[in-house]
Amino acid sequence: MPITPANGRTTDNARPSAPGAEAGSTEPIMLELVDEDGVTIGTAEKLSAHLAPGRLHRAFSVFLFDDDGRLLLQRRALGKYHSPGVWSNTCCGHPYPGELPFVAAARRTAEELGVAPALLREAGTVRYNHPDPASGLVEQEYNHLFAGLVRGKPEPDPEEIGEIAFVSPEELAGLLEGNPFSAWFLTVLDAARPAIREITGSAAGW
């Protein structure tokens, strides 16, 4: 299970000036607030939506696999204000208001990992409430799940990602025993498993 550190590639974006701000801008990031059925009911600034007890908002999670059926994991950069330094799924985030979740998932995967999925398909939705004990922030999310394949070489943005690793189910089990993972990781992985198994095949073991 080789673990690859972020390569230090440079980007045209400056570091955000404050939590919840866009890279290179002082403008806050806005999220879509939704009801329990996933219907948009308004917007909120990103950080405020995560303050306890949290406000239900739209999110997405991506699971990409190589041709050997190994899952691409990322360890979130230590500089992130929310869940820094923990392992998580390939990519996750929030659509901009009015942005389709599929478009947001593909966009953010390219921004964080420097690679486009060779295949990306919907894998359902899941609603959850996960407090982050380290930061005190709360994930109240209606999460759109996506699974697919990656064949290009990832070039992770070091401001977003500290390390990446391709893991088999057995290697993932080992990582889970000795390393911190995001509070939402197992919830979204379990919800996406039916689509993951269709993509990777039974031999991959997911």
Side-chain angles (χ1 to χ4, degrees), residues 67-149:
D67 287 329
D68 294 323
R70 298 180 304 168
L71 171 61
L72 174 56
L73 296 177
Q74 65 155 281
R75 187 175 66 82
R76 293 165 64 86
L78 292 174
K80 293 183 75 70
Y81 77 95
H82 185 6
S83 301
V86 301
W87 287 96
S88 197
N89 48 292
T90 308
C91 181
C92 57
H94 309 91
Y96 296 132
E99 184 181 28
L100 294 175
F102 183 92
V103 173
R107 171 183 58 79
R108 196 62 187 147
T109 298
E111 291 173 353
E112 290 193 6
L113 289 153
V115 66
L119 169 72
L120 191 65
R121 55 161 286 187
E122 295 181 357
T125 59
V126 62
R127 191 261 195 256
Y128 53 76
N129 173 9
H130 283 309
D132 173 35
S135 66
L137 300 175
V138 178
E139 290 287 8
Q140 287 268 16
E141 293 190 331
Y142 188 94
N143 198 310
H144 297 255
L145 308 173
F146 299 92
L149 300 173

Side-chain angles (χ1 to χ4, degrees), residues 11 24 29 44 50-51 61 65-66 73 79 82 86 99 122 129 148 157 162 179 189-190:
T11 69
I29 297 175
H50 290 86
L51 296 177
S61 288
F65 298 81
D66 65 13
L73 296 177
H82 185 6
V86 301
E99 184 181 28
E122 295 181 357
N129 173 9
D157 178 352
N179 297 272
L189 174 61
D190 287 343

